[in-house]
Amino acid sequence: MSRPREKRETGEQDLFRSRLDQIINMKHELVRLAQAIDWPVLKERFGAVYSDGPGMPPLPTRLMAGLAILKHTFNLSDEVLCERWVENPYFQYLCGEEFFRHDLPFDRSSMTRWRSRMGEERIVALLQESLSIAVKTGAMKPTDTRQVIVDTTVQPKNVMFPTDAKLIHRARERLVRLAKRAGLDLRQTYVRVGKLALIKQQRYAHAKQFKRANKALRRLKTYLGRTIRDISRQIAGDAELDALFKWSLYQASTVLEQRQRQRGRKIYSLHAHEVECIGKGKAHAPYEFGVKVSVATTLKRSKGGQFALHAKALPGNPYDGHTLAAIIPDMEKTIGNAISRVLADAGYRGHNAPESHKFRVFTSGQKRRVTPAIKRQMRRRSAIEPVIGHIKAEHRMGRNYLAGKQGDAVNAILAAAGYNFSLLLRWLKALLWLLLAASQSQPKELKA
């Protein structure tokens, strides 16, 4: 794929169109943020995936990176962002437009393809850029990144709450739909009786009539088993049909055979098989279905707020303490600074931090090597909890709509970057008001 045609400031005038810098407030926080972002650095990082070759050039890097920033800063879906972009001149200015546009220069699906093409390794440049702007504008000091707080949370996936009955019923429906598309003539589809059995099972379970509920569940399993065997007989010896049904039959057989409290991987969603069941000990949500995410923030609150320094998805539901071996080097690479102290909760006991940082990690309840100064700092450990709450509630980590494991990783990084950019917008707005107040408070010279 050829390289994108990047837009450059031309300074052109048009008799029939108005330039954006003539119709918007150039002191607006989004304008100041657009001027503070180092776009050439982002173009170099994101442009590394392209090579000179034939084909239609992709969309400009500033346009796509600006859309990613706006999406997670203002907690917008792709569809709503496209609607807002057309009617908001500040959004268009951030994305590099010179003139106001009344139509979209891109398709909504272009955002999905761009995220997939960038991946986790390059999308982290947006998080690094947010920290760079924070230092450049005075919202954060470089020394603030040397002492950090680390914690983990769950990034839930956009899936329904899994139950055995619903999974079995959905697996049979998918097989029947695929068989109909492939032209197979099944002995029975169980469309009507399968739906009736699911309704009965749910009503009996709600009424705590578990014997009747289990009987309805066994009936659902019987329907799924018959469908699997019927399809397996009809596709035997046909390589093309076998390849078409292989994944769906594997999922259906796994759902049919998995049992409560079994060890190993289980399927909790048919369309998002990477979903894991994670228990964090919450009374209101004993189990969450998604992926574990590590989040890090500064120990000291900076002038611009409590910035997120690092975010990384951790598939496989690892023990919190066993994540530091990978998290600490990756965090230092992201912030470009050596970490002198890491504070964590009791879930990080018995950690496997690198040898260079083994004695720089302190956990709640630790007694050895805890000086009075460190003991005072440990009172700040819970400062990461509101940061995680804001990232999940206001920047799209509370429910991940991006597909696959790569979607989990990309969404976690973009959510942290969107949280940082929201703090920067607030900081730039407050800084402008301070400058205006300072200019107005100066004594005026009296005319002679």
Side-chain angles (χ1 to χ4, degrees):
M1 182 179 290
S2 59
R3 295 183 181 276
R5 294 175 181 170
E6 305 294 354
K7 292 185 178 181
R8 294 178 176 84
E9 181 66 31
T10 61
E12 294 179 352
Q13 299 289 340
D14 194 318
L15 181 62
F16 302 102
R17 291 188 300 172
S18 299
R19 288 181 56 87
L20 285 174
D21 53 11
Q22 296 175 352
I23 63 175
I24 63 175
N25 178 17
M26 296 303 290
K27 294 182 180 180
H28 192 274
E29 53 270 18
L30 272 175
V31 176
R32 302 181 70 192
L33 178 64
Q35 296 170 349
I37 295 176
D38 196 345
W39 297 109
V41 172
L42 294 181
K43 292 173 185 176
E44 182 181 354
R45 291 286 299 275
F46 295 142
V49 300
Y50 303 105
S51 60
D52 293 324
M56 182 178 179
L59 292 167
T61 301
R62 177 168 177 175
L63 172 63
M64 304 311 297
L67 290 172
I69 292 171
L70 292 171
K71 172 183 173 69
H72 287 266
T73 302
F74 295 98
N75 191 14
L76 304 174
S77 65
D78 289 351
E79 292 80 4
V80 175
L81 176 60
C82 292
E83 296 173 1
R84 292 272 298 272
W85 193 91
V86 174
E87 61 191 27
N88 194 321
Y90 294 98
F91 281 16
Q92 297 187 19
Y93 184 87
L94 180 72
C95 294
E97 295 292 336
E98 288 188 84
F99 299 93
F100 184 77
R101 299 192 59 141
H102 299 274
D103 59 338
L104 280 175
F106 60 92
D107 188 74
R108 185 208 60 80
S109 59
S110 300
M111 300 172 64
T112 302
R113 290 193 293 271
W114 185 81
R115 285 190 296 258
S116 302
R117 192 176 296 125
M118 292 303 117
E120 179 184 8
E121 298 78 13
R122 291 180 177 83
I123 213 74
V124 74
L126 292 179
L127 180 59
Q128 292 175 321
E129 184 62 23
S130 68
L131 299 175
S132 175
I133 297 172
V135 173
K136 191 178 358 180
T137 58
M140 184 176 66
K141 298 178 181 178
T143 55
D144 292 346
T145 61
R146 295 184 61 84
Q147 296 179 342
V148 302
I149 310 171
V150 181
D151 200 1
T152 59
T153 186
V154 179
Q155 178 178 251
K157 198 78 168 182
N158 184 34
V159 297
M160 65 179 180
F161 191 87
T163 61
D164 291 339
K166 284 193 287 187
L167 281 173
I168 292 170
H169 179 71
R170 184 61 59 86
R172 184 193 54 76
E173 282 186 332
R174 288 164 68 98
L175 283 177
V176 170
R177 194 181 307 123
L178 188 59
K180 184 178 181 180
R181 198 180 305 134
L184 299 183
D185 186 17
L186 299 179
R187 296 175 61 187
Q188 189 172 350
T189 59
Y190 305 100
V191 173
R192 184 180 59 83
V193 293
K195 183 178 180 180
L196 183 61
L198 176 65
I199 293 173
K200 284 185 176 181
Q201 195 276 338
Q202 292 174 334
R203 288 177 177 175
Y204 289 145
H206 179 70
K208 295 185 172 26
Q209 300 178 11
F210 295 115
K211 286 187 177 180
R212 290 178 174 176
N214 290 333
K215 184 178 180 180
L217 179 62
R218 288 195 298 271
R219 188 175 294 114
L220 286 169
K221 288 183 177 180
T222 301
Y223 297 157
L224 177 58
R226 289 177 183 173
T227 306
I228 292 174
R229 291 189 295 271
D230 192 3
I231 293 176
S232 300
R233 282 192 297 266
Q234 295 194 41
I235 67 174
D238 192 326
E240 185 178 352
L241 287 178
D242 184 68
L244 178 64
F245 281 90
K246 186 174 183 180
W247 177 245
S248 298
L249 286 175
Y250 165 75
Q251 283 190 319
S253 302
T254 304
V255 167
L256 187 62
E257 295 170 2
Q258 63 189 16
R259 295 291 182 266
Q260 191 178 16
R261 298 187 182 89
Q262 77 174 35
R263 301 184 68 87
R265 288 280 293 135
K266 294 177 70 175
I267 292 180
Y268 298 100
S269 175
L270 296 176
H271 76 274
H273 60 276
E274 71 277 1
V275 169
E276 301 161 356
C277 179
I278 303 171
K280 300 289 283 185
K282 300 177 184 177
H284 65 282
Y287 300 101
E288 295 176 280
F289 299 91
V291 67
K292 182 177 284 190
V293 174
S294 172
V295 180
T297 184
T298 56
L299 173 62
K300 179 184 176 182
R301 187 185 186 278
S302 305
K303 290 182 179 179
Q306 196 84 24
F307 286 91
L309 300 179
H310 184 260
K312 186 177 180 64
L314 305 169
N317 191 15
Y319 171 64
D320 289 357
H322 294 167
T323 63
L324 292 182
I327 290 298
I328 290 179
D330 193 51
M331 195 190 313
E332 290 184 337
K333 181 180 176 182
T334 300
I335 64 179
N337 203 351
I339 298 175
S340 61
R341 187 166 297 162
V342 179
L343 304 185
D345 60 10
Y348 284 82
R349 289 178 182 174
H351 57 79
N352 63 345
E355 290 296 328
S356 57
H357 296 75
K358 189 174 182 180
F359 297 105
R360 302 181 189 179
V361 180
F362 297 89
T363 60
S364 298
Q366 181 176 334
K367 302 299 181 183
R368 293 183 179 181
R369 301 181 292 106
V370 178
T371 62
I374 297 175
K375 191 174 182 180
R376 286 194 299 271
Q377 289 180 344
M378 286 300 296
R379 298 173 187 169
R380 285 275 306 164
R381 191 215 62 80
S382 59
I384 196 172
E385 301 298 341
V387 174
I388 294 175
H390 284 297
I391 293 176
K392 295 182 74 170
E394 301 165 9
H395 302 283
R396 304 190 70 78
M397 193 189 281
R399 197 167 185 86
N400 178 25
Y401 295 87
L402 306 186
K405 290 185 178 180
Q406 187 182 44
D408 293 335
V410 168
N411 191 75
I413 297 172
L414 287 176
Y419 167 74
N420 286 348
F421 280 115
S422 67
L423 293 181
L424 288 172
L425 290 176
R426 198 176 306 157
W427 167 255
L428 293 173
K429 187 175 183 179
L431 195 61
L432 176 63
W433 282 108
L434 289 175
L435 293 175
L436 291 175
S439 64
Q440 292 176 359
S441 63
Q442 292 179 358
K444 297 181 180 179
E445 296 182 359
L446 295 177
K447 293 184 179 180

